[in-house]
């Protein structure tokens, strides 16, 4: 640490802040695994596939439904992989 | 008076408390020894059990290593009775140590065997049984937490310790007897150890509030990093007995809060040295 930094403080991000950010992610992940996904997700996924299949040709693997906890709120993420153009 | 005191006086029940962490070397045995001693100093009949079969250390921290004749596994196997194996602490009147076996492996602990020893201690009129868990999430650690009513989760303000504490919390919530039987959940308490208010102030260490927010467990106490912890283990007297030690006072606060008393958090604030001191040395 230089004498200037000693007086005015360093402008680099503090390592404790990094630790907090990394742990927030790791723990959210760990808890999601522990608690398991809520039981309505498989049904939701099936119905979504049924609806989307009416309009676009997708297989069951192309739709992923996930619930993630971010802080105090939950995010429902629905990921649909569209078929290649031309197959439609 | 306090919730705990009332429970003990009016309706005598033994409370089983596991001291656990997941990660090793964070201060489980130090905490077990001082917490058990603190309860005994308050007049509660207390037993502290070393669950670290194969790697016993509680006897050293309590300073009774030369008086170990029989151990926890001997009692489980019926080779000795509890009275023969319990070692009376030399510092406190109401405190007894049940050492771990040095030669067996952790599988020597069976759920039925552990349950019977805990039941017998209950019949002997113990107010508190402190279970000093081994590190890890294997059999020994599971046995230590299975019968717990309450848990002290010992955590250093450091990434691997915090993640491991979160893991052990998940295990408490799924594998403890209370969880399996659908009873009221194990009451969790957080103890942050090896805390440096200075490094927190400098942004190089997670604050106790950060740790608490991450783990979401009520905070029971913060134990400052202190030279007296090593001195205490060198001499075989739990650090809570050390005079003029911040760690000792912090452990006394932990015991007081556990018994329902209000105590302000101490040793968590750092006074920044003035500008001149920073230029001309010191801190």
């Amino acid at each position: 640490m230089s004498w200037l930094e000693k007086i005015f403080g360093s402008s680099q991000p503090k390592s404790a802040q990094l630790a907090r950010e990394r742990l927030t992610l790791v723990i959210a992940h760990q808890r999601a695994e522990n608690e398991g996904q809520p039981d309505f997700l498989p049904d939701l996924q099936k119905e979504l596939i049924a609806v989307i299949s009416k309009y676009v040709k997708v297989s069951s693997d192309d739709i992923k439904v996930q619930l993630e906890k971010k802080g105090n709120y939950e995010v429902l993420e629905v990921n649909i992989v569209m078929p290649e153009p031309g197959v439609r | 008076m306090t919730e705990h005191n009332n429970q003990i006086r009016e309706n005598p029940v033994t409370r089983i408390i596991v001291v656990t962490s997941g990660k090793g070397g964070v201060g489980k045995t130090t905490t077990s020894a001082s917490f058990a001693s603190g309860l005994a100093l308050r007049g509660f009949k207390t037993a502290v059990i070393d669950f670290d079969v194969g790697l016993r250390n509680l006897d050293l921290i309590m300073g009774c290593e030369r008086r170990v004749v029989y151990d926890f596994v001997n009692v489980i196997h019926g080779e000795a009775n509890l009275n023969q194996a319990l070692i009376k602490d030399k510092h406190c009147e109401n405190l007894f140590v049940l050492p771990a076996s040095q030669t067996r492996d952790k599988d020597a602990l069976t759920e039925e065997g552990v349950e019977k020893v805990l039941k017998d201690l209950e019949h002997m009129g113990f107010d508190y049984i402190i279970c000093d868990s081994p590190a890890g999430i294997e059999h020994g650690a599971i046995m230590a937490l299975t019968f717990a009513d309450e848990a002290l989760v010992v955590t250093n303000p450091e990434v691997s310790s915090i993640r491991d504490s979160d893991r052990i919390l998940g295990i408490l919530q799924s594998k403890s007897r209370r969880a399996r039987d659908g009873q009221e959940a194990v009451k969790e308490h957080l103890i942050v150890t090896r805390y440096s208010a200075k490094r927190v102030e400098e942004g190089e260490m997670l604050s106790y509030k950060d740790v608490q927010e991450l783990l979401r467990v009520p905070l029971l106490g913060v134990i400052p990093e202190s030279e007296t912890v090593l001195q205490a283990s060198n001499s075989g007297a739990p650090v809570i007995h050390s005079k003029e030690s911040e760690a000792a006072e912090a452990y006394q606060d932990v015991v007081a809060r556990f018994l329902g008393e209000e105590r302000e958090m101490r040793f968590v604030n750092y006074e920044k040295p003035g500008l001149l001191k920073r230029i001309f040395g010191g801190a």
Side-chain angles (χ1 to χ4, degrees):
Chain A
M1 205 193 268
S2 78
W3 64 274
L4 269 174
E5 278 180 347
K6 261 192 180 171
I7 298 170
F8 299 109
S10 155
S11 59
Q12 282 181 2
K14 300 293 187 186
S15 64
Q17 177 64 31
L18 289 175
R20 187 167 44 232
E21 286 161 11
R22 292 171 63 215
L23 276 168
T24 305
L25 281 176
V26 162
I27 287 178
H29 211 254
Q30 217 159 252
R31 291 197 174 166
E33 266 175 27
N34 252 357
E35 287 158 18
Q37 302 280 343
D39 46 9
F40 67 81
L41 283 188
D43 285 345
L44 177 65
Q45 184 170 9
K46 271 185 215 153
E47 286 182 40
L48 279 174
I49 292 166
V51 173
I52 292 164
S53 299
K54 283 187 192 170
Y55 305 95
V56 194
K57 196 171 182 301
V58 289
S59 77
S60 58
D61 296 337
D62 295 333
I63 299 181
K64 296 236 159 50
V65 184
Q66 264 185 6
L67 199 66
E68 273 189 36
K69 285 203 175 78
K70 286 185 180 165
N72 290 330
Y73 53 93
E74 293 180 346
V75 178
L76 180 67
E77 187 182 304
V78 180
N79 210 330
I80 306 164
V81 180
M82 298 296 281
E84 305 258 319
V87 183
R88 230 171 270 191
Chain B
M1 264 302 270
T2 68
E3 187 193 330
H4 282 273
N5 279 340
N6 284 340
Q7 271 181 3
I8 295 302
R9 302 269 149 74
E10 288 162 19
N11 172 29
V13 273
T14 309
R15 296 293 282 179
I16 301 173
I17 300 149
V18 62
V19 179
T20 188
S21 69
K23 189 173 182 298
V26 298
K28 278 184 300 297
T29 302
T30 298
T31 297
S32 298
S34 281
F35 185 69
S37 299
L39 288 171
L41 289 171
R42 296 288 194 113
F44 294 102
K45 190 174 177 186
T46 306
V48 56
I49 307 178
D50 191 349
F51 274 75
D52 203 348
V53 175
L55 289 170
R56 80 163 173 235
N57 276 319
L58 180 67
D59 54 333
L60 273 177
I61 301 300
M62 301 292 297
C64 64
E65 71 278 6
R66 281 163 44 179
R67 291 188 286 148
V68 175
V69 183
Y70 295 110
D71 58 54
F72 193 14
V73 175
N74 290 139
V75 177
I76 287 177
H77 288 183
E79 296 150 2
N81 66 41
L82 256 178
N83 282 311
Q84 290 173 297
L86 284 173
I87 303 170
K88 196 184 164 306
D89 183 63
K90 57 185 176 190
H91 305 98
C92 321
E93 193 52 37
N94 302 307
L95 181 58
F96 294 83
V97 182
L98 184 55
S101 166
Q102 185 70 299
T103 50
R104 320 283 183 106
D105 62 87
K106 290 188 170 58
D107 296 331
L109 298 178
T110 60
E111 192 167 316
E112 299 73 34
V114 173
E115 185 170 22
K116 177 158 191 312
V117 170
L118 295 174
K119 277 272 177 320
D120 289 348
L121 287 169
E122 204 168 310
H123 292 142
M124 289 166 75
F126 278 94
D127 297 311
Y128 290 106
I129 302 171
I130 313 303
C131 302
D132 182 20
S133 174
I137 52 174
E138 308 296 320
H139 185 69
I142 306 289
M143 285 299 105
L145 64 78
T146 297
F147 299 98
D149 300 305
E150 306 194 34
L152 307 189
V153 178
V154 181
T155 308
N156 291 167
E158 180 272 331
V159 287
S160 54
S161 173
I162 294 169
R163 180 205 254 183
D164 290 359
S165 287
D166 185 67
R167 281 280 279 148
I168 209 79
L169 284 165
I171 290 169
L172 265 170
Q173 289 153 12
S174 61
K175 295 203 171 161
S176 64
R177 180 61 73 86
R178 280 174 172 270
R180 276 158 33 193
D181 292 355
Q183 288 173 281
E184 191 188 333
V186 176
K187 191 173 177 191
E188 298 159 351
H189 308 271
L190 176 65
I191 298 186
V192 178
T193 54
R194 308 201 66 168
Y195 196 74
S196 165
K198 178 170 184 276
R199 302 201 72 187
V200 171
E201 176 69 33
E202 290 166 351
E204 287 173 11
M205 183 182 271
L206 289 164
S207 73
Y208 69 91
K209 286 176 183 152
D210 290 333
V211 181
Q212 191 187 1
E213 268 170 32
L214 286 160
L215 293 175
R216 294 184 220 151
V217 174
L219 181 72
L220 190 61
V222 177
I223 313 298
E225 173 82 62
S226 163
E227 291 176 0
T228 49
V229 172
L230 181 59
Q231 289 164 2
S233 85
N234 286 342
S235 54
V239 71
I240 196 168
H241 297 298
S242 301
K243 301 270 177 272
E244 290 170 30
S245 153
E246 292 189 343
E249 289 180 29
Y251 274 119
Q252 283 158 12
D253 287 352
V254 162
V255 173
R257 286 189 205 104
F258 182 80
L259 296 171
E261 294 168 25
E262 293 271 338
R263 291 277 174 104
E264 210 176 305
M265 285 295 161
R266 293 194 280 169
F267 319 117
V268 291
N269 295 312
Y270 175 67
E271 293 249 336
K272 259 190 166 173
L275 180 66
L276 286 174
K277 199 173 178 190
R278 271 190 277 167
I279 298 169
F280 296 111

